[in-house]
Amino acid sequence: MENITSENNLNLKKVKARFVLNQGTFLGLTIAVVYYLTHLTGLMDSFIHNLLTWIIYAGFIHVAMVRYRDRFQDGILSYGQGVWIGTRMGIFAGIIVGAYLFFYLKVINPEYLNELLEQMQEAYLEMGFKEDEVEQMSEVFSLSVNPVVFIISGCLTTGFSALIFSLIIAIFQRRKGDSFVEAMKDVE
């Protein structure tokens, strides 16, 4: 009997992990689509882009917490569980976003990096840096453009953003169980 219970617990953990992975994947794909559309429309560095990504983070994390709470936790979700769900979703999404950004900058629009590099050089020259210092910074910048850096930075930035949203959303989504019912489970 105990063996069957431990097997069921293991299966439930796998299902929960798969749920969070799927939600993170959908979050990452949606963010990548928004990035692509804002690149196409020229709104990448605008408030509209930021607003869209904030709405996506908040929406996906909120819905995932509610579904997780109702499907797997019998309507009970602690603050820590909520934060952990949203943060893991953000890390999984970050892998996809990092891969998309690398693909975008290497295949779809490789000139975008050159434009960014030129803007960076002009800004540093206007700030009073010498040309040789700006050239050194440009070399370091061009070395940092590789897939591993994009995926790691995507995981970190998207994970951090998801953490911030999760900290806020989990306050409203947490539910405590009835303490009497919980105590009676131990008695039976």
Side-chain angles (χ1 to χ4, degrees), residues 15-30:
V15 170
K16 287 179 178 180
R18 191 175 307 125
F19 173 81
V20 175
L21 175 66
N22 288 342
Q23 296 301 309
T25 302
F26 294 138
L27 173 63
L29 290 172
T30 305

Side-chain angles (χ1 to χ4, degrees), residues 57-121:
Y57 276 117
F60 271 87
I61 291 171
H62 167 74
V63 168
M65 282 184 198
V66 169
R67 286 183 179 166
Y68 187 89
R69 180 188 70 207
D70 294 342
R71 279 189 197 164
F72 304 115
Q73 300 294 110
D74 295 325
I76 300 168
L77 184 71
S78 72
Y79 182 75
Q81 287 173 325
V83 171
W84 183 233
I85 290 166
T87 304
R88 284 191 307 174
M89 283 175 55
I91 292 170
F92 293 137
I95 295 169
I96 294 170
V97 170
Y100 161 75
L101 288 175
F102 178 77
F103 183 75
Y104 179 81
L105 295 174
K106 288 294 185 178
V107 176
I108 297 173
N109 189 2
E111 289 302 313
Y112 187 71
L113 276 179
N114 292 335
E115 293 170 16
L116 288 177
L117 186 61
E118 288 175 16
Q119 290 174 1
M120 182 189 78
Q121 289 172 339

Side-chain angles (χ1 to χ4, degrees), residues 3-18:
N3 191 18
I4 294 172
T5 305
S6 65
E7 187 176 312
N8 287 340
N9 286 339
L10 181 62
N11 287 337
L12 182 61
K13 285 182 181 181
K14 287 180 182 179
V15 170
K16 287 179 178 180
R18 191 175 307 125

Side-chain angles (χ1 to χ4, degrees), residues 35-79:
Y35 278 16
Y36 182 69
L37 293 176
T38 55
H39 273 118
L40 282 178
T41 58
L43 298 172
M44 185 60 186
D45 299 322
S46 69
F47 178 73
I48 293 171
H49 166 77
N50 291 337
L51 185 63
L52 283 172
T53 55
W54 295 340
I55 291 170
I56 290 169
Y57 276 117
F60 271 87
I61 291 171
H62 167 74
V63 168
M65 282 184 198
V66 169
R67 286 183 179 166
Y68 187 89
R69 180 188 70 207
D70 294 342
R71 279 189 197 164
F72 304 115
Q73 300 294 110
D74 295 325
I76 300 168
L77 184 71
S78 72
Y79 182 75

